[in-house]
Amino acid sequence: NAERRCDLDVKTNSRKHHTELFGEERLIVRRGQPFTVILTAFGPQSSGLTPLVSCVSAGPLPRKESDTKASFTLSDSTSETEWSASATSDPSRKTVSVSIASSPNAPIGLYSLEVDQDGQKTSLGQFILLFNAWCPGDAVHMRSETKRQEYVLAQHGQVYRGTHKRIKGSPWNFGQFEAGILDICLKILDDNPKFVSNADQDCSGRRNPVYVSRVLSAMINSNNDRGVLVGEWGEFSGGVHPGVWIGSGDILRQWAESGPVRYGQCWVFAAVACTVSRALGIPCRVVTNFGSAHDTDANLVIENLYDEDGKRISGGDSVWNFHVWVDSWMTRPDLGQEFDGWQTSDPTPQETSEGVFCCGPAPVKAIKEGELTKKYDAPFIFAEVNADVMDLVQLSNGEFVKFSGSTKSVGRFISTKAVGSDDRHDITHQYKYPEGSKEERQVYEKAQHHNKLQQRGAEPGLHLKIKLADNMIVGSDFEVFAVLTNNHMKARTCNFLFFARAVGYNGKLGDGCGFASLHCVVCLFVFPERRLSLKLDYDSYGAAITSDRLIQLSAITVDKQTIDFCKAEKTIVLDEPQLEIKLLGEATLNQKVAAELTLLNPLPEPLQDCSFTIEGVGLTDSKPITAEYVAELTKNNQKRTKMSRSCDLELTHFLERCFCNRELS
């Protein structure tokens, strides 16, 4: 019917749903709360007449089973728990006011609305549905109006930086209501890899603020995807220095136009995450932790390593002057009511979680109580605010000895902007018990114990593992480590032995090529881990290994008091030097083409009587071609480092890949 019209009554609905700051160009409402549309020429909605059937749908593949599609008829009143609608007609019976209530658990996003009357479907338009901190049935509900004003509606804030002795707040323009920003926030959700791989499942998951927060944690950085920001802590050429940004709007608009934005650091990642969270309706605050630990090996201890001259040995662990993340407010039905409230997420790319650079959300209450089994990434966040620091010196025999440390230098003056003012609000007490208190130490020891058991999935006791170097190529010298840990409460005194032997592919052991030993004590809370290094020099293993290039590593510990033995074993394959093949000219059917073969000698000794052998289907007339290299190939003379020869090949068949097999002899 051409006369049928629908007025989405944007102005009235926006005011009631606290979305008027987005503007009046379209309808934006919050879930779990009714909104009204006015229909013209649809006929009176009273008993005895054909009722309207309303339908809402979201996402590219709307389905009732995924809660991305819902159909409902008019009733006397709306429901507080599911999609529903009621209607009233005006006296002239020309218009009908339909009140539509969304489910407080509906997925957020862009929806289409239509009605069906006697099989005639009419599109009423589109609307955007957001989380609703004003709705008691919504997972993000906040009771305090002043906190809702601060954590959902406030467009300006403070981000704290500096040191714990000199904390400085910098203003930040979140700008979540600026024109176009909400569309960009929805685009972030649609660009995330989970949506790309399974749009139906991802759109359905958007009912859950825990899921959405975890997606945002991954998408605000660009490490695993085309996320918003590129992190950089050194060279800033080709982009904007992180300290120049003062708001999120420019960053988000630039990302929407041209992809990942260069550059961001922790406070920029966090501030942008706060903007997106508030735009979507999730209450969010920016949090700064002074003396923030980065625990790379997940042992809840920051180990500062030094040599006997006092020089710092580079290691993965560190303590930052400050680090910034976000807290988002929501319930945690997956964990239990006691873990409702603030949830920490960290969008700065530091460590991977489930294979992706993201972190959280983890309940702040779980962090305070040392409940490290609670999702997500609680051990890493716990370490950020409550790791112990240990200073170790490496003696000439390779043993590490503790000479200093601190239990109080990590997690200080944890700060966020106060509600309703620009003052700093200290929230350290929400994350941890008073530093040095009995409760704080008990929580730390409990966290240490459970974390080690969780990491290893093992009963208390001694455990051994072997760690390898990144580049182990034939001819190079490299270092491997045997790591002994004790996750039992009782200290253990052990003899620690580490062997290396050549081995054939059939398991036959050859000559030894390395040995190290250590007499040590391992104690869960004082020195829970011992590392024994073994340097494998080519001079030692070169003559021992076979053409299989295999070395077997064996680590053994013996506790003579308990007669307890522990062993770890690993066989490593040394990499061959890379062989490069380059065509010299264009490959043409039935025409010869030259190929250059190049090898870099990695050995500290010359190679003699060398040759290349090459073979390829349709290239070498069904037989290998061998090219001799009569000159001596050494490592020291750079001009003679590479061995190159040209071979004439004839392309007798059209192939997508010219080389099916290549062999070096």
Side-chain angles (χ1 to χ4, degrees):
N1 191 330
E3 297 180 1
R4 288 187 168 186
R5 299 191 307 274
C6 175
D7 178 5
L8 296 179
D9 199 6
V10 173
K11 187 173 183 179
T12 301
N13 286 321
S14 296
R15 178 173 48 81
K16 291 181 178 180
H17 284 254
H18 308 278
T19 60
E20 64 269 27
L21 292 174
F22 285 115
E24 298 181 6
E25 289 75 22
R26 58 185 171 174
L27 181 59
I28 301 171
V29 294
R30 301 186 188 276
R31 66 184 191 174
Q33 180 178 340
F35 60 94
T36 301
V37 298
I38 302 171
L39 307 181
T40 301
F42 280 82
Q45 297 300 304
S46 58
S47 60
L49 297 177
T50 304
L52 291 175
V53 177
S54 302
C55 179
V56 293
S57 57
L61 301 168
R63 296 194 315 137
K64 292 181 180 180
E65 297 81 0
S66 302
D67 287 342
T68 51
K69 184 177 182 179
S71 299
F72 42 92
T73 58
L74 297 178
S75 58
D76 293 336
S77 62
T78 57
S79 170
E80 294 182 352
T81 59
E82 60 185 358
W83 285 96
S84 58
S86 63
T88 57
S89 300
D90 73 350
S92 66
R93 310 182 74 80
K94 291 182 180 180
T95 62
V96 178
S97 294
V98 180
S99 178
I100 300 173
S102 60
S103 165
N105 296 311
I108 64 164
L110 179 65
Y111 279 78
S112 296
L113 174 64
E114 67 176 19
V115 294
D116 186 338
Q117 189 175 35
D118 285 331
Q120 182 180 357
K121 295 183 179 181
T122 304
S123 173
L124 303 183
Q126 293 183 319
F127 64 94
I128 293 175
L129 190 67
L130 304 178
F131 291 109
N132 191 355
W134 286 262
C135 174
D138 197 305
V140 302
H141 175 243
M142 291 190 105
R143 293 195 180 120
S144 168
E145 175 60 23
T146 56
K147 290 183 178 179
R148 293 193 291 251
Q149 292 287 331
E150 179 69 43
Y151 297 128
V152 180
L153 300 182
Q155 297 191 75
H156 303 279
Q158 294 282 321
V159 178
Y160 295 97
R161 293 185 285 166
T163 68
H164 73 278
K165 291 187 176 180
R166 189 174 181 180
I167 299 174
K168 179 176 175 55
S170 300
W172 189 273
N173 178 29
F174 297 115
Q176 67 267 33
F177 298 112
E178 293 178 6
I181 294 300
L182 180 57
D183 288 321
I184 296 172
C185 296
L186 295 175
K187 174 179 168 57
I188 290 173
L189 297 182
D190 287 346
D191 281 10
N192 96 84
K194 294 181 179 180
F195 177 84
V196 175
S197 63
N198 191 329
D200 174 59
Q201 183 175 328
D202 177 77
C203 288
S204 178
R206 295 180 191 180
R207 77 187 84 178
N208 184 357
V210 175
Y211 177 84
V212 173
S213 295
R214 189 153 174 82
V215 167
L216 294 181
S217 174
M219 282 298 295
I220 298 302
N221 70 73
S222 61
N223 282 44
N224 299 106
D225 41 55
R226 288 187 58 79
V228 177
L229 278 161
V230 178
E232 180 59 53
W233 284 262
E235 173 57 48
F236 303 107
S237 60
V240 177
H241 189 289
V244 173
W245 302 113
I246 58 173
S248 304
D250 287 346
I251 296 170
L252 290 169
R253 280 186 285 269
Q254 185 175 325
W255 172 79
E257 292 174 2
S258 55
V261 179
R262 303 174 183 271
Y263 293 103
Q265 290 183 4
C266 63
W267 70 92
V268 185
F269 287 110
V272 173
C274 184
T275 293
V276 179
S277 297
R278 291 184 182 183
L280 298 177
I282 301 175
C284 189
R285 66 186 184 186
V286 177
V287 175
T288 302
N289 177 40
F290 292 93
S292 189
H294 182 177
D295 180 22
T296 58
D297 54 7
N299 66 352
L300 309 185
V301 178
I302 302 302
E303 295 136 329
N304 298 322
L305 309 179
Y306 301 87
D307 63 20
E308 289 182 308
D309 296 325
K311 295 180 180 179
R312 184 73 179 266
I313 302 174
S314 61
D317 289 350
S318 59
V319 178
W320 299 12
N321 284 335
F322 68 91
H323 184 51
V324 187
W325 57 71
V326 292
D327 285 347
S328 302
W329 183 271
M330 63 195 69
T331 60
R332 290 301 298 265
D334 57 326
L335 301 180
Q337 189 174 356
E338 65 271 28
F339 296 107
D340 292 348
W342 290 116
Q343 313 288 320
T344 295
S345 295
D346 191 348
T348 300
Q350 298 181 86
E351 302 292 331
T352 59
S353 173
E354 298 179 340
V356 177
F357 278 97
C358 66
C359 183
V364 171
K365 291 179 182 177
I367 304 305
K368 182 173 183 176
E369 298 299 334
E371 297 287 348
L372 303 193
T373 61
K374 307 305 179 186
K375 294 181 178 180
Y376 291 87
D377 309 306
F380 185 81
I381 300 169
F382 179 90
E384 287 186 305
V385 301
N386 211 13
D388 283 356
V389 176
M390 190 178 295
D391 298 320
L392 308 170
V393 60
Q394 185 176 29
L395 304 180
S396 56
N397 63 1
E399 181 181 358
F400 284 98
V401 176
K402 177 183 177 182
F403 67 90
S404 181
S406 172
T407 63
K408 300 180 180 181
S409 59
V410 167
R412 310 171 83 173
F413 297 95
I414 303 175
S415 305
T416 192
K417 177 186 173 297
V419 174
S421 77
D422 285 336
D423 294 338
R424 184 184 71 88
H425 178 42
D426 194 301
I427 56 172
T428 309
H429 63 284
Q430 296 180 17
Y431 277 87
K432 59 198 294 188
Y433 288 99
E435 199 66 75
S437 66
K438 179 181 178 182
E439 294 86 353
E440 187 266 339
R441 285 292 88 192
Q442 288 176 337
V443 166
Y444 180 81
E445 291 176 2
K446 178 179 74 173
Q448 269 278 21
H449 188 55
H450 288 306
N451 186 53
K452 288 185 176 295
L453 293 181
Q454 182 183 355
Q455 278 184 314
R456 297 171 178 82
E459 294 297 323
L462 293 174
H463 296 274
L464 263 178
K465 60 183 177 181
I466 295 172
K467 292 187 175 182
L468 305 179
D470 291 332
N471 297 311
M472 298 181 295
I473 190 168
V474 174
S476 66
D477 300 338
F478 56 91
E479 201 167 16
V480 292
F481 297 89
V483 182
L484 172 65
T485 54
N486 177 18
N487 59 18
H488 195 279
M489 305 292 288
K490 186 177 180 181
R492 308 289 288 273
T493 302
C494 305
N495 288 328
F496 193 180
L497 310 174
F498 198 9
F499 304 88
R501 298 184 70 173
V503 62
Y505 80 92
N506 58 358
K508 183 179 179 180
L509 291 175
D511 296 334
C513 53
F515 173 72
S517 64
L518 178 67
H519 185 73
C520 60
V521 177
V522 278
C523 178
L524 176 62
F525 299 123
V526 180
F527 218 130
E529 180 179 286
R530 294 285 189 173
R531 296 167 67 93
L532 181 56
S533 65
L534 177 60
K535 187 173 183 181
L536 295 177
D537 299 323
Y538 178 73
D539 290 342
S540 300
Y541 72 77
I545 61 173
T546 68
S547 59
D548 299 321
R549 310 181 317 280
L550 299 175
I551 297 177
Q552 185 184 82
L553 303 174
S554 301
I556 299 173
T557 62
V558 183
D559 183 343
K560 293 185 177 180
Q561 292 181 332
T562 61
I563 316 299
D564 189 7
F565 291 79
C566 191
K567 181 181 179 181
E569 202 165 76
K570 186 171 289 189
T571 299
I572 59 177
V573 184
L574 300 178
D575 295 329
E576 288 183 305
Q578 186 175 359
L579 178 64
E580 298 179 2
I581 301 178
K582 179 182 178 182
L583 290 183
L584 304 178
E586 185 177 1
T588 306
L589 191 64
N590 295 320
Q591 298 292 324
K592 290 186 177 181
V593 63
E596 183 183 72
L597 314 177
T598 304
L599 172 72
L600 178 68
N601 178 19
L603 303 182
E605 58 186 82
L607 297 177
Q608 297 177 335
D609 300 326
C610 301
S611 65
F612 288 101
T613 299
I614 188 168
E615 183 177 6
V617 176
L619 294 172
T620 60
D621 197 21
S622 302
K623 57 185 178 182
I625 296 175
T626 298
E628 303 290 340
Y629 189 89
V630 296
E632 185 180 80
L633 179 63
T634 68
K635 184 176 184 178
N636 297 327
N637 188 335
Q638 293 300 312
K639 293 183 179 180
R640 301 172 64 197
T641 297
K642 290 185 177 180
M643 170 170 61
S644 284
R645 282 302 300 265
S646 295
C647 301
D648 287 332
L649 308 175
E650 187 170 341
L651 190 63
T652 57
H653 296 89
F654 181 79
L655 299 171
E656 287 187 48
R657 301 183 66 182
C658 294
F659 299 99
C660 295
N661 181 37
R662 48 189 182 269
E663 178 181 334
L664 170 68
S665 66

